[in-house]
Amino acid sequence: MEEKKLDINSIIGFLLIGAILLYMLWQNQPTPEELAAQEEAKQEQLASEAANQADAEMTITDNSSSNQLPTDSLGLASLKNKIGDFAYALTLPSATSNITTFENEVLALKIDNKGGFISEVRLKSYVNHDSVPVYLIKDGSSVFNLNFATSDNRTLNSTNLYFQPTLSTSGENQVLSMRLKVSETQFLEYRYELKPNDYMLGFSVKSQGLSNVLNTSQDVKLDWKFKAHRQDQSVSFENRYTRLTYQHEGDKINKLSQSGDDDETESDLAWLSFRQHFFSTILVPETPFKTADLKSFDLVKDETIDTLYTKRYEVQLPLTYSGGELAHNMNIYYGPTYDDILSKYDRNLEASIPFGWGIFGWINKAVFSPLYAWLTNYLSYGIAIIVMTIMVKIVLSFVQYKQFLSQAKMRILKPELDAIREKHKNNKMKAQQETMAVQNKAGASPLSGCLPGMLQMPVFYALFMFFPIAFELRQKSFLWVDDLSSYDSILELPYNIPFYGDHISLFPILASIAIFFYMKMTTGQQMATQPTQEGMPDMGKMMKYMIYLSPVIMLVFFNNYASGLSLYYFISNLISIGIMIVIKNYIIDEEKVLAKIQVSKAKPKKQNRFQKKMADIMAQAEAQKEAQQKRKK
């Protein structure tokens, strides 16, 4: 095989060709003037191309992205493949995230073209604990979406599409129409109507000419996600009264969990309330939703950490077609959780306020709420609490009198009852029979002291529920208190004490001191009436522990509670102590009580049905015991 070698002549030839090419390039290079002219021509060409592109294309800017979607003939065809006939809406000037402002004397609303729903709600008359305007919706805290199917097998979400706004008036009312258009005569519409000085916003979802565009065999899903803004000073206190509440199946009122996460599926939903303690967002359909999926998520995982939101709510509701079109009339309430305002709409919306269940709620709605509202017409809000407390204690003073009278009788009978127990210390059944006989003749019974106390419980619990939800107390000052609906801090702590908090409230301290002396007096009275028997020293010790334990519980539990409630307990216990002293020293004369007992004993006493039945049972038990003892012998 012949060996291939590089020819020297070839090398010389390549070098010569390269040299010639370099010379030609150098010889033909442009002058500096030519370079400047070329650069100027290039810039003019780029500017011309940009202008032509701006004239030929319309762009839509998404809030969540900087990408732009061209809607020229090719781009629109591409979008139509994605969203079908609704691509027409992207060719309109409204196809951008512009805001429409919609307001009256009490509400300021903002509605975004993208999604067509409310992006901000401000209550004009209120501020939060930091003196910042109260926003029920702000910064994406609410997402309202319609998920619907089209006749060409697409599934679309209204939040991704652009509505065209039109403002008009209807009498004194303002009307805002937001239309998602397929053509100028075919559209899906959100219609908002706002009356003067009203918290209730008219809202409807309707379609026109879409029977052939939408898949009417499938319900439209209304999907609303809502985060509750923090408004109060105490996160833990506010979160306790922030709940999703709803009316369903006629007149049933229910609610999701106060703490933690919860979900329910309900039927025949008349309204649902996103309650934020003193403020609420309530969806009120003209006709009940046939089903509803409801969810609530607690966002406050650590109450010692400052937070922006307390709970997140999620609801899914079906919107059905009628005659091939959507036609659903609703209302949305944005305003105070205040009985006087909610009740005027005549939809039982005031039931969303946690007045308490059963008789407790009835007492609050029928007695304390109107009574306190009446008092505040003439008195400051703190003085009104004191006056209402005095009125309640005067009405219940006969109960305390009955309790003290019963205790006085039992205290007078104690030596005689102790003698009976000592006589029959080996026969407890016999001792009990004779004890009941003496008490019956004397007209004294432990139950007669317990029953009056039980009558106070509904009032006690009703007021416990009333003050934390009394909207009248919100941001009302009294003495050193800035807000009677929140805690009255007199000292901020540099650390957080578990269960207590990072501050010291004064009214809970005063209430704890008052309840300590009240319990010391009442416990002493009760122990004086207890019979002397085995086991009673331990009972007495437990009662003494309660004297100290109850004020401590009061102090810790109420440190973050509404100061109006602590004020009530402080005044209530002071009045109770005063009533006890008056009854004991000036009303009940134990010598007269003893004389009445002696007279009562001398009279033949007929047993009532209950007493007779108890005596018969005890007699039978005693007979059985004697029979058993005889058989053993």
Side-chain angles (χ1 to χ4, degrees), residues 110-142:
K110 291 183 179 180
I111 294 90
D112 197 331
N113 287 3
K114 187 178 183 185
F117 197 68
I118 300 166
S119 59
E120 184 176 292
V121 175
R122 176 170 60 88
L123 302 184
K124 292 184 175 182
S125 304
Y126 302 101
V127 295
N128 68 9
H129 67 104
D130 280 334
S131 299
V132 174
V134 169
Y135 288 92
L136 300 188
I137 297 176
K138 187 177 173 59
D139 299 331
S141 64
S142 172

Side-chain angles (χ1 to χ4, degrees), residues 83 124 155 175 274 300 361 452 472 521 531 554 592 604 618-619 627:
I83 61 175
K124 292 184 175 182
T155 300
V175 177
F274 299 147
V300 182
E472 297 93 335
M521 293 176 67
M554 177 86 180
K592 292 182 178 180
M618 296 178 70

Side-chain angles (χ1 to χ4, degrees), residues 322-347:
S322 176
E325 301 286 359
L326 287 173
H328 288 270
N329 296 320
M330 293 172 269
N331 297 280
I332 307 177
Y333 174 86
Y334 296 108
T337 313
Y338 186 25
D339 179 59
D340 280 5
I341 296 176
L342 292 174
S343 59
K344 76 176 185 179
Y345 295 108
D346 198 26
R347 292 295 300 271

Side-chain angles (χ1 to χ4, degrees), residues 80 112 128 147 186 220 248 266 328 341 411 429 440 462 501 513 529 535 623 630:
K80 193 165 183 178
D112 197 331
N128 68 9
N147 179 275
Q186 297 172 284
V220 175
H248 65 113
E266 302 290 4
H328 288 270
I341 296 176
R411 188 165 54 252
M429 187 67 69
N440 184 43
I513 294 172
T529 64
K630 288 180 179 179

Side-chain angles (χ1 to χ4, degrees), residues 10 26-27 46 71 101 111 116 132 192 250 257 286 291 311 319 347 353 355 403 504 509 520-521 527 530 564 577 588:
S10 299
W26 174 80
Q27 186 68 23
L46 291 174
T71 59
T101 301
I111 294 90
V132 174
Y192 303 94
S257 177
E286 291 297 325
T291 60
K311 283 190 173 68
L319 301 183
R347 292 295 300 271
I353 304 174
F355 282 115
Q403 282 182 301
I504 296 176
I509 295 175
K520 197 169 182 65
M521 293 176 67
M527 291 180 65
Q530 295 297 323
I577 290 171
I588 294 181

Side-chain angles (χ1 to χ4, degrees), residues 246-300:
Y246 52 95
Q247 180 174 317
H248 65 113
E249 296 180 4
D251 58 353
K252 291 183 180 178
I253 305 297
N254 217 328
K255 54 186 76 67
L256 296 188
S257 177
Q258 175 180 311
S259 60
D261 301 340
D262 194 12
D263 63 272
E264 290 288 347
T265 298
E266 302 290 4
S267 60
D268 194 23
L269 193 75
W271 52 257
L272 65 90
S273 169
F274 299 147
R275 191 174 78 234
Q276 301 168 240
H277 194 188
F278 286 123
F279 301 97
S280 294
T281 299
I282 309 176
L283 180 62
V284 189
E286 291 297 325
T287 57
F289 294 110
K290 61 180 181 180
T291 60
D293 293 327
L294 311 173
K295 294 180 181 179
S296 175
F297 303 89
D298 192 349
L299 303 181
V300 182

Side-chain angles (χ1 to χ4, degrees), residues 411-477:
R411 188 165 54 252
I412 291 169
L413 291 175
K414 186 176 181 298
E416 186 175 354
L417 298 179
D418 286 344
I420 292 173
R421 291 186 178 91
E422 178 63 26
K423 178 180 177 181
H424 302 287
K425 59 183 178 180
N426 296 324
N427 190 338
K428 293 183 179 180
M429 187 67 69
K430 187 69 174 177
Q432 188 65 29
Q433 282 181 302
E434 292 194 13
T435 297
M436 288 182 63
V438 170
Q439 290 173 345
N440 184 43
K441 285 184 178 181
S445 170
L447 286 177
S448 61
C450 295
L451 289 176
M454 291 177 65
L455 292 175
Q456 297 183 75
M457 292 305 295
V459 175
F460 175 87
Y461 183 77
L463 287 167
F464 175 79
M465 294 296 296
F466 171 75
F467 286 106
I469 53 89
F471 189 85
E472 297 93 335
L473 295 180
R474 186 177 184 274
Q475 297 182 344
K476 299 301 189 298
S477 60

